Amino acid sequence: MRIGIGLPNTVPGTTGDLLLEWARRAEARGFAFVSTIGRVGYPSYDSLTALAAVAGATSRIGLVTNAVLGPTYPDAVLAKISATVDQVSGGRLTLGLGVGARESDYLPSERPFTARGRAFDRQLDFLQRAWRGEPVAEGDFAGEHRPVAPPGREIPILIGGHSAQAIRRTVRWGAGWTGAGGGPRRAEPTVREIQAAWREAGREGEPRLLGLAYFSADDRSSAESDSYLRSYYAYAGDHANTIAEGAVRTPDRIRGIIGEFADIGMTELVFTPTVARLDEVDRLADLVL
């Protein structure tokens, strides 16, 4: 199983310098990738901008958005930014995308919340055409169409969400699927459905399946970790308790969660931080690498 570590781009107290040093330390310790959480209506660092900076601060570690809220971006803007990050990083980007469940992310984006599913379907098709360098935008003259980014590779997409629509999108456009907080038990039914749908659609190989485990590797930080998660997921009511209580905060739970995700078929796992202290990278590496 490929093991990554999240950047603390949504954790209070994080600075820009910390993000870059966190990524350098993660690369030095041997994590397969770093990932970000994408929000708009929240005081966090933008995923793709942060990963562009990380690309310049590192040389080989993978870069994953987990996940950007695709429909909060105009299609051409997302295509251009993601292509730029992929090219300047030497093809290290995996674009995790979802629609999200918070209207508060769509209001400041001035994008319609209720139409986000239809917009996402159009966007996924647009992205793959744009990355191939196909003309997808109106040019300066009547009847003229232009690409919006230099031609490059089709960036791997991981689709987030547990709905039937998420499964359909994974099979049609995705390299695989990414799960949100909630642990292996919440992810397992969707994993089974994706594996079956993947085979039925005749897709070659196996889907990438990325699990997520919130963590704090110093048990002295448990209260701080718990408080952050309950605040971040406050909109979700009782589900916030499930996520906060499911975070792994002891050596046994941190090591054990890897096997639990592997047992349901996950191929990758990201440990997502809940405390913004650099020593969390080393503490986690000592336990899982």
Side-chain angles (χ1 to χ4, degrees):
M1 177 178 282
R2 297 177 72 241
I3 303 294
I5 186 171
L7 296 172
N9 71 302
T10 60
V11 179
T14 299
T15 64
D17 288 343
L18 175 61
L19 285 177
L20 298 183
E21 186 55 38
W22 189 287
R24 294 187 192 103
R25 187 75 58 86
E27 181 171 79
R29 291 304 307 264
F31 286 99
F33 59 91
V34 292
S35 72
T36 57
I37 295 176
R39 290 291 309 280
V40 180
Y42 189 84
S44 57
Y45 293 95
D46 175 70
S47 286
L48 286 162
T49 308
L51 290 180
V54 166
T58 60
S59 61
R60 61 184 183 278
I61 197 167
L63 312 173
V64 180
T65 63
N66 193 37
V68 159
L69 304 177
T72 64
Y73 289 77
D75 297 350
V77 174
L78 181 57
K80 183 183 290 286
I81 295 173
S82 56
T84 301
V85 175
D86 192 57
Q87 298 235 18
V88 301
S89 69
R92 288 188 274 154
L93 180 64
T94 293
L95 195 62
L97 293 173
V99 297
R102 298 172 174 93
E103 189 172 7
S104 61
D105 286 314
Y106 283 79
L107 291 172
S109 304
E110 300 181 349
R111 310 287 287 179
F113 179 69
T114 56
R116 67 196 189 281
R118 294 187 297 276
F120 194 32
D121 284 330
R122 293 191 300 270
Q123 184 176 78
L124 288 165
D125 178 69
F126 183 100
L127 289 174
Q128 295 193 337
R129 291 188 292 115
W131 292 332
R132 291 194 294 266
E134 294 181 14
V136 291
E138 295 294 332
D140 295 330
F141 304 101
E144 180 187 33
H145 287 78
R146 291 178 176 172
V148 296
R153 68 173 188 141
E154 292 186 26
I155 299 166
I157 292 174
L158 302 181
I159 301 293
H162 293 262
S163 67
Q165 290 85 353
I167 295 166
R168 171 181 58 79
R169 291 171 186 135
T170 298
V171 172
R172 181 172 179 183
W173 285 292
W177 177 77
T178 177
R185 182 175 299 177
R186 185 181 183 214
E188 184 172 14
T190 306
V191 167
R192 300 290 176 239
E193 291 180 82
I194 287 170
Q195 290 170 329
W198 193 272
R199 291 190 296 268
E200 290 170 6
R203 291 286 305 266
E204 294 184 2
E206 298 293 331
R208 291 174 60 180
L209 297 166
L210 173 60
L212 181 150
Y214 285 112
F215 85 99
S216 62
D218 183 347
D219 57 12
R220 293 171 296 181
S221 302
S222 293
E224 182 181 350
S225 167
D226 185 79
S227 176
Y228 159 68
L229 287 173
R230 291 181 191 278
S231 173
Y232 187 81
Y233 283 99
Y235 82 99
D238 288 343
H239 185 56
N241 298 328
T242 301
I243 292 174
E245 292 164 6
V248 289
R249 301 186 177 101
T250 66
D252 286 347
R253 286 300 298 134
I254 289 170
R255 294 189 188 99
I257 202 75
I258 298 173
E260 292 174 24
F261 273 110
D263 286 346
I264 67 166
M266 291 300 215
T267 61
E268 306 174 34
L269 176 60
V270 59
F271 285 93
T272 298
T274 56
V275 176
R277 284 194 282 277
L278 187 60
D279 62 3
E280 288 286 277
V281 180
D282 290 318
R283 289 177 184 275
L284 181 66
D286 289 342
L287 292 171
V288 303
L289 298 181

